[in-house]
């Protein structure tokens, strides 16, 4: 599950450790090479130079949920098979370990504190923790911009707590980004934050996906997102998934792939 800290009014919520969004199994195959040496009088051939890796043209940052880790989510990228992602750089950072109130103070990976579960639209918010996490995300974005990636080809995505952090990070970034994708997340601050959103940030599109059977981050918490964004003058594409609990599906991820593809700038 994932939850997020923000600026003015941030969230405090959510469940214990059963947040892992996906059960991902990585299979590593080891290949053995046999080399044969020939003793001959001949000049050794020079091996051809290896081609240099192409510079990244786009960047996708994935923020995991409460109690999860970045590496556990890395298999997500294997679903993005379209040629448009050939030169995309991916990053799956892990949240720092911290005590979490909704889990009776247990220490676990968490972007910010969560005070109750299930998370509702009215749940208390960890403003201080959220803002610190947002600053860290902005530092990751700035690093890629400095490396030459256009902000409009940078996409921030997150599940649960990571989804809430995604929303906060996108809204508070001073430039227009390619987009922000929120999966089973919520609005981690009050409407007073709207006055802190820059005109450029208001142009960043948002994709919001939420399961209607979610009992960890209630569907109502997700439904509160579009009206909030509309009030801020931002566009939001909201997708409701019947019978989906607090989880993320391949269907949602393939939808994300198509959504990003339509927004990638070929000039990058």
């Amino acid at each position: 599950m994932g939850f997020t800290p923000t600026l003015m009014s941030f969230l405090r919520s959510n469940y214990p450790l059963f947040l892992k969004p996906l059960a991902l199994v990585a299979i590593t195959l080891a290949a053995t090479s046999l080399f044969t040496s020939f003793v001959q009088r001949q000049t050794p051939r020079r091996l051809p130079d290896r081609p240099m890796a192409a510079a990244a043209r786009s960047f996708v940052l994935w923020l995991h949920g409460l109690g999860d880790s970045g590496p556990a989510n890395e298999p997500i990228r294997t679903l993005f098979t379209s040629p448009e992602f050939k030169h995309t750089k991916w990053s799956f950072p892990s949240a720092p370990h911290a005590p979490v109130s909704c889990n009776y103070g247990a220490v676990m990976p968490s972007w910010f504190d969560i005070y109750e579960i299930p998370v509702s639209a009215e749940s208390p918010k960890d403003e201080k923790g959220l803002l610190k996490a947002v600053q860290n995300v902005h530092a990751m974005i700035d690093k890629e911009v400095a490396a030459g990636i256009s902000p409009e080809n940078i996409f921030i995505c997150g599940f649960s707590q990571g989804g809430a952090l995604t929303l906060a990070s996108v809204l508070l970034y001073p430039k227009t980004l390619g987009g922000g994708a929120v999966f089973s997340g919520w609005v981690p601050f009050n409407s007073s934050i709207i006055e802190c959103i820059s005109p450029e940030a208001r142009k960043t599109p948002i994709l919001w996906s939420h399961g209607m059977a979610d009992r960890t981050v209630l569907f109502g918490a997700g439904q509160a997102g579009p009206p909030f964004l509309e009030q801020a003058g931002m566009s939001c594409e909201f997708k409701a998934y019947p019978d989906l609990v607090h989880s993320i599906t391949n269907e949602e991820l393939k939808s994300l792939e198509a959504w990003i593809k339509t927004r990638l700038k070929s000039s990058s």
Side-chain angles (χ1 to χ4, degrees):
M1 175 163 96
F3 303 92
T4 330
T6 56
L7 294 157
M8 309 286 295
S9 317
F10 302 66
L11 260 236
R12 292 190 159 192
S13 44
N14 277 38
Y15 243 3
L17 291 166
F18 66 61
L19 302 176
K20 308 266 180 180
L22 298 170
L24 303 171
V25 180
I27 300 176
T28 305
L29 302 177
T32 304
S33 301
L34 300 178
F35 297 89
T36 306
S37 300
F38 297 91
V39 180
Q40 295 179 336
R41 292 183 179 180
Q42 61 182 51
T43 304
R45 293 183 301 171
R46 183 179 181 277
L47 295 176
D49 294 331
R50 297 178 64 180
M52 295 180 63
R57 298 176 184 172
S58 57
F59 177 64
V60 176
L61 176 64
W62 184 273
L63 303 172
H64 65 75
L66 178 65
D68 207 348
S69 73
N73 286 265
E74 288 184 7
I76 287 174
R77 65 182 297 178
T78 63
L79 295 176
F80 292 68
T81 56
S82 300
E84 287 85 351
F85 294 91
K86 182 178 180 181
H87 300 301
T88 296
K89 178 179 179 180
W90 292 77
S91 181
F92 296 85
S94 293
H97 284 68
V100 178
S101 296
C102 68
N103 286 337
Y104 305 99
V107 175
M108 64 189 68
S110 179
W111 300 110
F112 55 93
D113 199 10
I114 295 169
Y115 299 114
E116 67 180 19
I117 295 217
V119 175
S120 70
E122 296 77 29
S123 291
K125 302 156 178 64
D126 174 20
E127 176 178 332
K128 182 178 179 181
L130 178 60
L131 179 58
K132 181 178 179 180
V134 167
Q135 291 173 336
N136 291 335
V137 172
H138 285 181
M140 298 180 210
I141 298 173
D142 290 340
K143 180 180 177 181
E144 301 308 320
V145 173
I149 297 179
S150 167
E152 293 188 346
N153 274 337
I154 293 179
F155 297 83
I156 314 302
C157 313
F159 173 78
S160 193
Q161 186 187 44
L165 178 55
T166 290
L167 183 66
S169 300
V170 168
L171 297 189
L172 298 175
Y173 196 70
K175 300 177 181 178
T176 303
L177 297 175
V182 179
F183 295 91
S184 304
W186 68 92
V187 178
F189 34 51
N190 296 320
S191 59
S192 57
I193 196 67
I194 291 177
E195 60 191 50
C196 298
I197 305 174
S198 73
E200 291 303 310
R202 293 172 194 262
K203 300 176 185 177
T204 300
I206 303 293
L207 172 66
W208 198 306
S209 303
H210 211 112
M212 297 178 69
D214 196 331
R215 295 294 179 265
T216 301
V217 178
L218 300 180
F219 184 64
Q223 283 184 306
F228 172 85
L229 292 168
E230 183 178 357
Q231 185 180 355
M234 301 180 67
S235 63
C236 176
E237 181 179 344
F238 187 85
K239 291 179 175 288
Y241 292 82
D243 303 320
L244 179 63
V245 296
H246 195 64
S247 180
I248 189 169
T249 65
N250 284 6
E251 179 184 358
E252 289 178 285
L253 293 173
K254 296 306 290 184
S255 177
L256 173 63
E257 178 185 28
W259 187 79
I260 292 178
K261 278 171 56 177
T262 64
R263 288 162 177 79
L264 284 171
K265 306 298 180 183
S266 60
S267 59
S268 60

